[in-house]
Amino acid sequence: MAVDALPVLPAPADGDRYGIRRLTASWLASLGSDDSRRGYFGDLSDALTWCDEHHVDPLTARSADFVDYKAGLSGRYAPRSIARRLAGLSSWYTYLLLNEAEGVRANPLGAVSRPKVDRDDSPTIGLDPYEVVAIIHWADVEADVRRASYQANPTPGRKVRYLAAMRDRALVRVLAGMGLRIGSVLALDISSLSRRQGMRTIRYIGKGKRRRERPLNLSAHDPLDQYLELRATEEGVPVARLTGPLLATSGRDGRPGQMDEAAAFRLIRRLAHYAGLPHADKISPHSLRHAFATNALDDGASLREVQDAMDHTNADTTRGYDRRRRNLATDPSLRMDRLYAPTDGEEHDRPVAVGAHATSTDP
């Protein structure tokens, strides 16, 4: 990416590891795919060009500046495209703030409303696969930043924040990949980890106090193992001898305690803000559970499979997550054209006999 060609930003200083352009390149590199990097780079370049043309310093810009920027986008782009551009710009500012970039004091996009986009009818804010990936991505970024901060200056406070970020990274992967209720996840103990049928599993108490066992999603394996290894090192014991909550917080007595739901809500909401997601203030751990169901159904999982995974006693509850039922292209009426279409050569004026009551056109 030609970061050096971006307008307005200060020129890079020799040896400045945390200069704006260096951090911008790092932000782009942290994004998932080449397409994402190209898209975000283009959106950032457009926004900085606007700043240049309107004599706005992006490092000290205010929300009012980007309200004007948003107004300029209206009429030229669809609401979803505008929301994506604002989200990408917010993501850039968040990364600069997270790395304490010089001159950046706030994210001016925080108070800029995003265009409304169509979502499923639900009190829970739903997330599409790309939005879930964005939350996972920012959990990874936060863990990487906390690791680098601790390694650069290994103070006790930075160690605690590093361990918490590694725990949060694992928590997000489990929530996104298994669709568990947040209460069930936080109640997991080290002994909840098991193995069956050649797979790593998690045993937990589901709705109605029923004992459940499900496979641990593969994407959670490494984050969880890395967190537990770090925690074991901190406690001075092998991983096999760890006890207590699976995803722990440091108690006042120094012993691991159970993370509370309020902390999990703050985590998911913070990551949603980092990702610049619309309605970030309304996103919760349940949004990831909701996304698990809708996205699994969209991907072809059967209603019964998702019902079992979600621990729903009533299939109608699971159907509420099925966006396919609103898809006109899957309406059964369209099947009738195939079922009732006459075969080649069939006489259209002769009814097909069905039972003894069929009428005939024969004399």
Side-chain angles (χ1 to χ4, degrees):
M1 291 293 181
V3 172
D4 289 345
L6 288 171
V8 189
L9 299 181
D14 292 339
D16 186 1
R17 181 178 178 82
Y18 300 106
I20 299 298
R21 291 182 185 272
R22 182 73 177 269
L23 288 175
T24 299
S26 176
W27 167 68
L28 289 167
S30 73
L31 300 173
S33 67
D34 289 340
D35 286 341
S36 295
R37 283 188 282 274
R38 281 190 290 268
Y40 275 76
F41 178 82
D43 291 346
L44 177 61
S45 180
D46 287 346
L48 293 179
T49 298
W50 180 91
C51 288
D52 191 22
E53 293 172 348
H54 292 79
H55 309 291
V56 173
D57 181 352
L59 304 188
T60 58
R62 301 185 181 186
S63 296
D65 295 315
F66 285 105
V67 169
D68 291 342
Y69 170 69
K70 172 189 167 186
L73 297 176
S74 299
R76 294 194 294 137
Y77 298 100
R80 185 175 292 276
S81 179
I82 295 173
R84 190 208 71 222
R85 286 170 174 266
L86 297 178
L89 197 54
S90 178
S91 169
W92 177 64
Y93 276 108
T94 295
Y95 193 85
L96 296 181
L97 286 170
L98 195 61
N99 284 277
E100 301 176 356
E102 184 176 357
V104 182
R105 297 291 178 265
N107 182 347
L109 275 298
V112 179
S113 63
R114 313 286 169 81
K116 292 183 178 180
V117 294
D118 292 334
R119 292 182 178 273
D120 296 325
D121 296 329
S122 170
T124 299
I125 295 297
L127 302 170
D128 64 31
Y130 301 101
E131 291 170 325
V132 175
V133 168
I135 289 177
I136 292 172
H137 165 74
W138 280 101
D140 291 345
V141 169
E142 190 166 55
D144 290 341
V145 169
R146 296 304 183 194
R147 179 192 295 111
S149 176
Y150 172 66
Q151 291 174 344
N153 185 11
T155 65
R158 293 188 177 195
K159 180 190 291 186
V160 169
R161 288 191 287 274
Y162 172 31
L163 183 60
M166 293 294 283
R167 174 205 63 203
D168 294 345
R169 176 172 170 249
L171 170 61
V172 168
R173 296 277 184 167
V174 173
L175 285 173
M178 297 187 68
L180 296 175
R181 296 177 177 86
I182 184 61
S184 296
V185 176
L186 298 183
L188 295 173
D189 195 84
I190 292 289
S191 61
S192 300
L193 292 175
S194 188
R195 185 175 290 274
R196 189 161 68 89
Q197 297 179 11
M199 293 181 285
R200 296 178 68 179
T201 64
I202 283 184
R203 294 178 296 182
Y204 64 98
I205 304 299
K207 194 172 183 179
K209 296 185 178 181
R210 290 182 296 176
R211 295 185 178 276
R212 300 292 311 278
E213 183 176 15
R214 290 179 53 209
L216 175 66
N217 53 303
L218 295 175
S219 61
H221 286 193
D222 285 346
L224 187 58
D225 288 343
Q226 291 166 13
Y227 160 65
L228 293 178
E229 288 168 5
L230 182 63
R231 181 170 145 193
T233 299
E234 177 65 15
E235 295 184 26
V237 299
V239 173
R241 292 184 58 189
L242 282 175
T243 60
L246 180 63
L247 300 160
T249 186
S250 298
R252 293 181 179 179
D253 58 358
R255 297 173 62 84
Q258 181 173 310
M259 184 180 183
D260 61 34
E261 292 193 19
F265 268 76
R266 290 193 297 270
L267 164 67
I268 300 302
R269 206 149 286 179
R270 182 174 74 249
L271 296 176
H273 275 287
Y274 285 174
L277 299 186
H279 311 295
D281 285 332
K282 297 181 180 179
I283 290 173
S284 68
H286 191 72
S287 297
L288 292 176
R289 175 171 165 82
H290 185 285
F292 169 86
T294 56
N295 295 331
L297 288 165
D298 284 350
D299 195 52
S302 73
L303 191 70
R304 183 55 185 269
E305 289 168 341
V306 176
Q307 179 186 351
D308 287 344
M310 295 287 283
D311 202 21
H312 289 156
T313 55
N314 191 329
D316 287 341
T317 304
T318 312
R319 288 196 75 250
Y321 293 90
D322 191 357
R323 290 183 291 216
R324 292 175 300 184
R325 74 186 191 280
R326 302 184 181 93
N327 185 355
L328 296 180
T330 62
D331 191 290
S333 65
L334 302 181
R335 294 173 178 263
M336 301 305 106
D337 290 329
R338 175 176 56 81
L339 292 176
Y340 299 160
T343 59
D344 291 342
E346 181 179 335
E347 298 179 27
H348 287 252
D349 61 348
R350 182 182 296 277
V352 178
V354 181
H357 300 290
T359 60
S360 174
T361 58
D362 290 339

